[in-house]
Amino acid sequence: MDISFLLLIGGALVGLWLFLYIFPINLWITALFSGVRVNLFELVLMRFRKVPPKLIVNSMIMAFKAGLKEITMPLLETHYLANGNLTSVIKALVVADKANLSLTFQQATAIDLA
């Protein structure tokens, strides 16, 4: 085999990996099949804002499946950037909702950050 062919294959693999890293298509498809409306461009922008898209999308899916409709991606991103624990907040909201307690997202995030 020619060395330029191997370099071309290697470059193509690195390019494909970079493309799939920047555009998390598998995460977008997961959200789509879960019923959560997520913009692929928003997932790309999350990477540049240093927010892990997987954490945000998984939290959105958990909230959506539990019936918590008031939670949005910008709220989750804001709480993450404030060094909050998203998973704990979503789980607390789900438990409070199932126990018929009135706990808003703002109250749960305030408790988490305190």
Side-chain angles (χ1 to χ4, degrees):
M1 282 199 189
D2 190 41
I3 189 75
S4 62
F5 179 72
L6 291 176
L7 287 175
L8 180 67
I9 296 296
L13 289 175
V14 168
L16 179 64
W17 176 82
L18 186 61
F19 177 79
L20 291 177
Y21 176 76
I22 292 175
F23 295 97
I25 295 171
N26 58 344
L27 193 58
W28 179 72
I29 291 172
T30 301
L32 191 66
F33 285 141
S34 297
V36 177
R37 306 296 290 170
V38 177
N39 188 350
L40 184 59
F41 187 66
E42 275 297 315
L43 294 176
V44 172
L45 291 178
M46 280 185 208
R47 293 233 191 261
F48 293 113
R49 289 189 294 254
K50 304 280 190 228
V51 176
K54 185 173 184 174
L55 177 65
I56 301 296
V57 170
N58 287 340
S59 297
M60 282 288 295
I61 291 171
M62 191 184 325
F64 179 78
K65 293 295 182 182
L68 304 173
K69 307 290 186 200
E70 72 276 359
I71 297 175
T72 62
M73 287 180 53
L75 287 174
L76 294 175
E77 284 185 62
T78 302
H79 188 62
Y80 174 80
L81 291 172
N83 290 326
N85 189 339
L86 281 180
T87 308
S88 296
V89 168
I90 298 299
K91 285 181 180 179
L93 286 169
V94 170
V95 168
D97 184 56
K98 298 307 173 202
N100 291 326
L101 299 173
S102 62
L103 180 66
T104 65
F105 183 78
Q106 287 76 17
Q107 290 171 331
T109 56
I111 292 168
D112 181 50
L113 293 174

PDB file of all heavy atoms in Angstrom, residues 81-94:
ATOM      1  N   LEU A  81     -23.875  25.737  34.558  1.00  0.00           N
ATOM      2  CA  LEU A  81     -22.813  26.747  34.562  1.00  0.00           C
ATOM      3  C   LEU A  81     -22.648  27.417  35.924  1.00  0.00           C
ATOM      4  O   LEU A  81     -21.606  27.981  36.219  1.00  0.00           O
ATOM      5  CB  LEU A  81     -23.073  27.791  33.475  1.00  0.00           C
ATOM      6  CG  LEU A  81     -22.906  27.276  32.046  1.00  0.00           C
ATOM      7  CD1 LEU A  81     -23.366  28.318  31.048  1.00  0.00           C
ATOM      8  CD2 LEU A  81     -21.462  26.876  31.783  1.00  0.00           C
ATOM      9  N   ALA A  82     -23.685  27.332  36.769  1.00  0.00           N
ATOM     10  CA  ALA A  82     -23.596  27.845  38.139  1.00  0.00           C
ATOM     11  C   ALA A  82     -23.034  26.788  39.086  1.00  0.00           C
ATOM     12  O   ALA A  82     -23.109  26.946  40.305  1.00  0.00           O
ATOM     13  CB  ALA A  82     -24.961  28.311  38.617  1.00  0.00           C
ATOM     14  N   ASN A  83     -22.485  25.708  38.524  1.00  0.00           N
ATOM     15  CA  ASN A  83     -21.905  24.587  39.281  1.00  0.00           C
ATOM     16  C   ASN A  83     -22.942  23.827  40.097  1.00  0.00           C
ATOM     17  O   ASN A  83     -22.657  23.335  41.180  1.00  0.00           O
ATOM     18  CB  ASN A  83     -20.758  25.053  40.186  1.00  0.00           C
ATOM     19  CG  ASN A  83     -19.546  25.450  39.397  1.00  0.00           C
ATOM     20  OD1 ASN A  83     -19.254  24.875  38.361  1.00  0.00           O
ATOM     21  ND2 ASN A  83     -18.845  26.472  39.867  1.00  0.00           N
ATOM     22  N   GLY A  84     -24.141  23.716  39.551  1.00  0.00           N
ATOM     23  CA  GLY A  84     -25.180  22.943  40.206  1.00  0.00           C
ATOM     24  C   GLY A  84     -25.154  21.494  39.759  1.00  0.00           C
ATOM     25  O   GLY A  84     -24.565  21.151  38.740  1.00  0.00           O
ATOM     26  N   ASN A  85     -25.802  20.646  40.530  1.00  0.00           N
ATOM     27  CA  ASN A  85     -25.887  19.225  40.233  1.00  0.00           C
ATOM     28  C   ASN A  85     -27.231  18.955  39.556  1.00  0.00           C
ATOM     29  O   ASN A  85     -28.262  18.836  40.213  1.00  0.00           O
ATOM     30  CB  ASN A  85     -25.749  18.412  41.518  1.00  0.00           C
ATOM     31  CG  ASN A  85     -25.616  16.940  41.255  1.00  0.00           C
ATOM     32  OD1 ASN A  85     -25.986  16.445  40.191  1.00  0.00           O
ATOM     33  ND2 ASN A  85     -25.086  16.224  42.229  1.00  0.00           N
ATOM     34  N   LEU A  86     -27.207  18.879  38.234  1.00  0.00           N
ATOM     35  CA  LEU A  86     -28.441  18.724  37.461  1.00  0.00           C
ATOM     36  C   LEU A  86     -29.183  17.436  37.775  1.00  0.00           C
ATOM     37  O   LEU A  86     -30.412  17.434  37.906  1.00  0.00           O
ATOM     38  CB  LEU A  86     -28.136  18.763  35.965  1.00  0.00           C
ATOM     39  CG  LEU A  86     -27.910  20.119  35.356  1.00  0.00           C
ATOM     40  CD1 LEU A  86     -27.612  19.979  33.885  1.00  0.00           C
ATOM     41  CD2 LEU A  86     -29.108  20.988  35.556  1.00  0.00           C
ATOM     42  N   THR A  87     -28.466  16.362  37.882  1.00  0.00           N
ATOM     43  CA  THR A  87     -29.101  15.070  38.120  1.00  0.00           C
ATOM     44  C   THR A  87     -29.863  15.074  39.439  1.00  0.00           C
ATOM     45  O   THR A  87     -31.001  14.606  39.503  1.00  0.00           O
ATOM     46  CB  THR A  87     -28.049  13.950  38.103  1.00  0.00           C
ATOM     47  OG1 THR A  87     -27.289  14.049  36.903  1.00  0.00           O
ATOM     48  CG2 THR A  87     -28.698  12.588  38.171  1.00  0.00           C
ATOM     49  N   SER A  88     -29.265  15.634  40.472  1.00  0.00           N
ATOM     50  CA  SER A  88     -29.933  15.692  41.772  1.00  0.00           C
ATOM     51  C   SER A  88     -31.169  16.567  41.728  1.00  0.00           C
ATOM     52  O   SER A  88     -32.203  16.233  42.324  1.00  0.00           O
ATOM     53  CB  SER A  88     -28.979  16.230  42.839  1.00  0.00           C
ATOM     54  OG  SER A  88     -27.903  15.361  43.022  1.00  0.00           O
ATOM     55  N   VAL A  89     -31.086  17.678  41.021  1.00  0.00           N
ATOM     56  CA  VAL A  89     -32.220  18.595  40.934  1.00  0.00           C
ATOM     57  C   VAL A  89     -33.379  17.937  40.195  1.00  0.00           C
ATOM     58  O   VAL A  89     -34.532  17.999  40.645  1.00  0.00           O
ATOM     59  CB  VAL A  89     -31.800  19.919  40.256  1.00  0.00           C
ATOM     60  CG1 VAL A  89     -33.009  20.763  39.892  1.00  0.00           C
ATOM     61  CG2 VAL A  89     -30.868  20.706  41.152  1.00  0.00           C
ATOM     62  N   ILE A  90     -33.097  17.302  39.078  1.00  0.00           N
ATOM     63  CA  ILE A  90     -34.163  16.652  38.306  1.00  0.00           C
ATOM     64  C   ILE A  90     -34.789  15.516  39.111  1.00  0.00           C
ATOM     65  O   ILE A  90     -36.015  15.369  39.150  1.00  0.00           O
ATOM     66  CB  ILE A  90     -33.632  16.148  36.954  1.00  0.00           C
ATOM     67  CG1 ILE A  90     -33.139  17.309  36.104  1.00  0.00           C
ATOM     68  CG2 ILE A  90     -34.700  15.356  36.211  1.00  0.00           C
ATOM     69  CD1 ILE A  90     -34.185  18.333  35.760  1.00  0.00           C
ATOM     70  N   LYS A  91     -33.948  14.724  39.770  1.00  0.00           N
ATOM     71  CA  LYS A  91     -34.492  13.630  40.583  1.00  0.00           C
ATOM     72  C   LYS A  91     -35.341  14.157  41.731  1.00  0.00           C
ATOM     73  O   LYS A  91     -36.387  13.593  42.052  1.00  0.00           O
ATOM     74  CB  LYS A  91     -33.353  12.757  41.124  1.00  0.00           C
ATOM     75  CG  LYS A  91     -32.747  11.868  40.067  1.00  0.00           C
ATOM     76  CD  LYS A  91     -31.644  10.997  40.637  1.00  0.00           C
ATOM     77  CE  LYS A  91     -31.059  10.113  39.553  1.00  0.00           C
ATOM     78  NZ  LYS A  91     -29.963   9.278  40.062  1.00  0.00           N
ATOM     79  N   ALA A  92     -34.918  15.259  42.351  1.00  0.00           N
ATOM     80  CA  ALA A  92     -35.703  15.858  43.431  1.00  0.00           C
ATOM     81  C   ALA A  92     -37.042  16.375  42.907  1.00  0.00           C
ATOM     82  O   ALA A  92     -38.079  16.224  43.564  1.00  0.00           O
ATOM     83  CB  ALA A  92     -34.919  16.992  44.085  1.00  0.00           C
ATOM     84  N   LEU A  93     -37.037  16.966  41.718  1.00  0.00           N
ATOM     85  CA  LEU A  93     -38.282  17.453  41.121  1.00  0.00           C
ATOM     86  C   LEU A  93     -39.227  16.298  40.785  1.00  0.00           C
ATOM     87  O   LEU A  93     -40.445  16.419  40.965  1.00  0.00           O
ATOM     88  CB  LEU A  93     -37.986  18.281  39.878  1.00  0.00           C
ATOM     89  CG  LEU A  93     -37.406  19.669  40.134  1.00  0.00           C
ATOM     90  CD1 LEU A  93     -36.909  20.280  38.841  1.00  0.00           C
ATOM     91  CD2 LEU A  93     -38.434  20.562  40.793  1.00  0.00           C
ATOM     92  N   VAL A  94     -38.681  15.212  40.302  1.00  0.00           N
ATOM     93  CA  VAL A  94     -39.504  14.042  39.974  1.00  0.00           C
ATOM     94  C   VAL A  94     -40.123  13.470  41.247  1.00  0.00           C
ATOM     95  O   VAL A  94     -41.322  13.173  41.286  1.00  0.00           O
ATOM     96  CB  VAL A  94     -38.672  12.976  39.229  1.00  0.00           C
ATOM     97  CG1 VAL A  94     -39.438  11.670  39.115  1.00  0.00           C
ATOM     98  CG2 VAL A  94     -38.257  13.482  37.861  1.00  0.00           C
TER      99      VAL A  94
END
